[in-house]
Amino acid sequence: MTAGDSFGPDDYGGSRLARVVRRCNDFRSTPAAVLAVSTMAVFADTVVYGLIVPFLPEILQERLGMSSSANGILFGCFGIGVLVGAPASAYISDRWKLRKWPMIIGLVGLGATSVLFAFSNAFWELVLARLAQGVSSGITWAVGLGMIADVYAGEAIGKAMGIAFSGFTLGYLGGPVLGGAIYDAGGVHAIAAFVGAITAVDLVCRLLLREPKDVLSASASRAASSPSLEQSQHEQLLETMTEEKTVAGEVSDTRKRVSMPAPVLIASPVAAGRVGIVEAVGSGDNVARGAQSSPDLTLAGGRLAGAESGDGGSEDNGSDAAVAGEKRRTTMLDLLKEWPILACCVATITVTGASGSFEPTLPIHLVDKYNLNSTLIGVIFIALVIPNAVIGPLAGKYTDDERVLAKVAPYGRFGFMIIGSLLEAVAVACVGATSNIAGLVVNLVFVGMLGGIAAVPIMSTMGVHVHRMGGDAYAKVYALFNIAYSIGVIVIPTVLPPIMNAVGFAATMGVTAAILVFGAIILAIHPTLMLLRHGRSAYTGENPRVFL
């Protein structure tokens, strides 16, 4: 019997072990399992990325006798790898609806190239290993976040992405701290052993996981027969949404509205250019398909018809355009033509770049001004890591709440990004102006918290917008996210050290704050124009206009 087969209750017997095995087998076919494995994948990718930071100067300067500028070349190679791996894997994954095996290939590649990097004895070997590492990372991010969007489409995506973001934060900011401790304890051999162990654990989890399309089918069957089981499994990773939500999907000739508890919401992505059908299972008795009655939510040719124009659009025109849209799939260029996606990419660069700005600058500042050793510097970084990781799920929860979003309409999720970016800019500037350790740590805590508020809605907004476009490009949109993230954490931290050498730490933090303000301005442009054009009442009435 293969890993993808389903088991019935009679296959186990009645022992305690049999019940545990049955529950584990049932769990691997749930959206919660997809979220857990994808979060672990993001954590493994980012922690492996950060492990090499502490001992990379030693490899380059002592072992290979190279200058510090070679460090920047290697970080650039990683970014080039991401630019190759993310779009290619996204196209293949969305085109043939494959998620599991690209994830497995990306993981194996990441583990192998990381071990190769640790044992490289020539600079060209480091370059090749770093390129391959970037390719593997691009695969993991694009496909992993795409898997989450597959099974948590619609209103549940914010909390799911918030959990995934916590895995990213723990890996990205905790990787260098963990890498330094492991390297001090056992050198490159200990690093290689750790990478091998985390790769093995992650590989087993990915092999046991079923494809998201199979997860959706299994979840629908279980929800129809036993809705309480599906609800209890969601409660393990996501807080149960007790309110009734209205969900929408396309039907060929009629439009209906249907309400149901969100924990039994199951999204079914469909072919390109079509509206994502949402199957709703209410109380285990009914399976209904509904469409939004609001003309603002009519989808035509993979785009919202009337959502941002003055007219509502007729049902016939929307139907004809949707049929025409079936002839082509959504490309990454199509996504970049959508202002919400483009704005989210810009915000990703500014927010992640601001988070990454502390790695090359803060340790130097702590050594020069406070004479701290590497251990204490690692402890200081915890002030960034923990608040950022904790705030992720909370930010995701509130960016899913329709009542909260309605209060800031038409800004919606963009409002969280804008406010988070602006307040983070203030906190970053305060970090530069602080003259004592205690104040610096307090300000870093605020930077971590506000950075999470600004970043989490980016991922959920991109997923929601693709869902409204038809749901055929989740991997592609998160490939764009990964590319933007790579640009942010490579370009901005690379240009800040020379600035710091020229103008000092405080002014460098001012530059970082200005970058965050720029991102907030870009985010505010479109919703502000919509507010001026339609007025706020258009987004709060009985048939409100759609917004993100």
Side-chain angles (χ1 to χ4, degrees), residues 15-30:
S15 67
R16 179 176 298 179
L17 177 61
R19 290 194 296 271
V20 171
V21 173
R22 181 170 63 249
R23 289 176 181 174
C24 291
N25 183 68
D26 290 339
F27 178 74
R28 74 189 183 94
S29 302
T30 63

Side-chain angles (χ1 to χ4, degrees), residues 1 16 101 128 164 194 198 238 248 272 284 294 333 352 474 500 526:
M1 191 170 287
R16 179 176 298 179
W101 288 106
L128 288 180
F194 178 81
I198 197 173
L238 291 176
S294 170
L333 182 59
T352 59
Y474 288 126
M500 181 174 172
H526 184 262

Side-chain angles (χ1 to χ4, degrees), residues 80-138:
I80 293 173
V82 169
L83 292 175
V84 174
S89 63
Y91 174 81
I92 294 171
S93 182
D94 280 339
R95 177 65 179 84
W96 285 282
K97 295 299 177 186
L98 296 174
R99 304 290 197 224
K100 176 179 175 179
W101 288 106
M103 285 276 285
I104 291 173
I105 293 171
L107 173 66
V108 173
L110 181 67
T113 55
S114 299
V115 173
L116 173 62
F117 190 91
F119 289 101
S120 296
N121 293 313
F123 185 68
W124 68 267
E125 293 176 349
L126 292 175
V127 169
L128 288 180
R130 201 62 171 162
L131 282 169
Q133 219 176 30
V135 172
S136 300
S137 177

Side-chain angles (χ1 to χ4, degrees), residues 225-495:
S225 60
S226 179
S228 60
L229 172 63
E230 182 72 17
Q231 182 169 341
S232 67
Q233 289 167 338
H234 274 267
E235 287 174 347
Q236 295 176 21
L237 289 176
L238 291 176
E239 210 176 290
T240 304
M241 299 169 67
T242 55
E243 288 187 295
E244 289 197 343
K245 303 287 185 180
T246 301
V247 295
E250 183 188 52
V251 278
S252 55
D253 300 316
T254 61
R255 294 182 178 183
K256 304 174 184 177
R257 294 186 70 89
V258 106
S259 294
M260 70 194 21
V264 294
L265 188 90
I266 298 160
S268 301
V270 293
R274 296 184 58 191
V275 179
I277 303 298
V278 177
E279 296 180 355
V281 184
S283 304
D285 298 325
N286 304 319
V287 176
R289 292 178 179 178
Q292 294 282 10
S293 57
S294 170
D296 282 347
L297 294 183
T298 303
L299 280 144
R303 302 181 188 279
L304 286 167
E308 298 172 10
S309 61
D311 59 272
S314 67
E315 182 176 352
D316 291 338
N317 290 339
S319 176
D320 293 342
V323 172
E326 293 178 7
K327 297 179 181 179
R328 65 185 300 271
R329 293 181 178 273
T330 304
T331 66
M332 295 180 75
L333 182 59
D334 292 332
L335 293 173
L336 287 174
K337 291 178 181 178
E338 299 285 326
W339 176 257
I341 300 297
L342 182 60
C344 283
C345 288
V346 173
T348 301
I349 294 173
T350 58
V351 172
T352 59
S355 298
S357 67
F358 291 100
E359 287 187 359
T361 58
L362 185 59
I364 298 174
H365 175 67
L366 293 175
V367 171
D368 291 345
K369 186 167 185 177
Y370 302 105
N371 197 30
L372 298 185
N373 58 34
S374 58
T375 302
L376 291 177
I377 291 174
V379 173
I380 295 293
F381 268 91
I382 294 176
L384 274 172
V385 176
I386 301 301
N388 200 284
V390 170
I391 204 68
L394 294 176
K397 172 186 175 181
Y398 286 106
T399 54
D400 273 345
D401 194 321
E402 290 182 348
R403 294 173 301 177
V404 174
L405 295 178
K407 291 179 180 180
V408 292
Y411 291 91
R413 294 174 177 86
F414 280 84
F416 284 86
M417 300 182 221
I418 294 167
I419 294 172
S421 296
L422 292 176
L423 294 180
E424 185 184 6
V426 174
V428 168
C430 290
V431 168
T434 302
S435 58
N436 58 78
I437 285 286
L440 185 141
V441 170
V442 170
N443 284 314
L444 286 177
V445 169
F446 281 105
V447 170
M449 292 176 58
L450 296 168
I453 294 173
V456 170
I458 296 175
M459 295 188 290
S460 60
T461 300
M462 296 174 88
V464 169
H465 192 71
V466 169
H467 179 66
R468 292 175 180 175
M469 291 176 64
D472 71 314
Y474 288 126
K476 294 187 185 74
V477 79
Y478 290 119
L480 289 174
F481 171 83
N482 194 22
I483 291 170
Y485 153 77
S486 299
I487 293 173
V489 299
I490 291 172
V491 174
I492 294 178
T494 300
V495 301

Side-chain angles (χ1 to χ4, degrees), residues 126-197:
L126 292 175
V127 169
L128 288 180
R130 201 62 171 162
L131 282 169
Q133 219 176 30
V135 172
S136 300
S137 177
I139 295 172
T140 297
W141 274 83
V143 181
L145 297 181
M147 287 174 65
I148 296 175
D150 283 339
V151 297
Y152 284 102
E155 299 304 326
I157 194 172
K159 284 185 283 188
M161 288 298 177
I163 292 174
F165 180 79
S166 295
F168 154 74
T169 300
L170 289 174
Y172 176 66
L173 296 178
V177 178
L178 189 60
I182 295 174
Y183 186 74
D184 289 342
V188 293
H189 292 88
I191 292 290
F194 178 81
V195 171

